[in-house]
Amino acid sequence: MDKNKLVIRKKTSIWSRLRRMILLIVLWAVAIYVLTINLCFIFGIYSDALVVNYSLFNLSFHLYKLLGNLVIAIGGVIVLYGIVHIRNLKRKAAAHDKNNA
């Protein structure tokens, strides 16, 4: 049995790809906006809107700590899910090879 035939290929729908694209664009836009606000404050460029946004995105160290812990937790969940998913795929491939042998 050819191992390439065991690869599960699923074509994602256009709506799923659009949703992912929009989500990534929004996330990058927010990240660039926060970075721009911080750079403006570093270089001494101030305006009322920048002060409001700076205080909104830089509330406290506690918020950054909470956000960092959330990123680490989500990363851990993704890694665990990936490990379990790969093991299941290997188990299915082994069972498929056993049935066809």
Side-chain angles (χ1 to χ4, degrees), residues 49-65:
L50 280 176
V51 171
V52 168
N53 288 319
Y54 185 80
S55 63
L56 176 67
F57 290 119
N58 295 301
L59 292 176
S60 68
F61 178 73
H62 177 70
L63 183 67
Y64 281 126
K65 183 180 174 184

Side-chain angles (χ1 to χ4, degrees), residues 84-96:
V84 168
H85 188 66
I86 288 172
R87 284 186 179 176
N88 285 337
L89 287 175
K90 286 181 180 179
R91 191 176 309 128
K92 285 180 183 178
H96 189 270

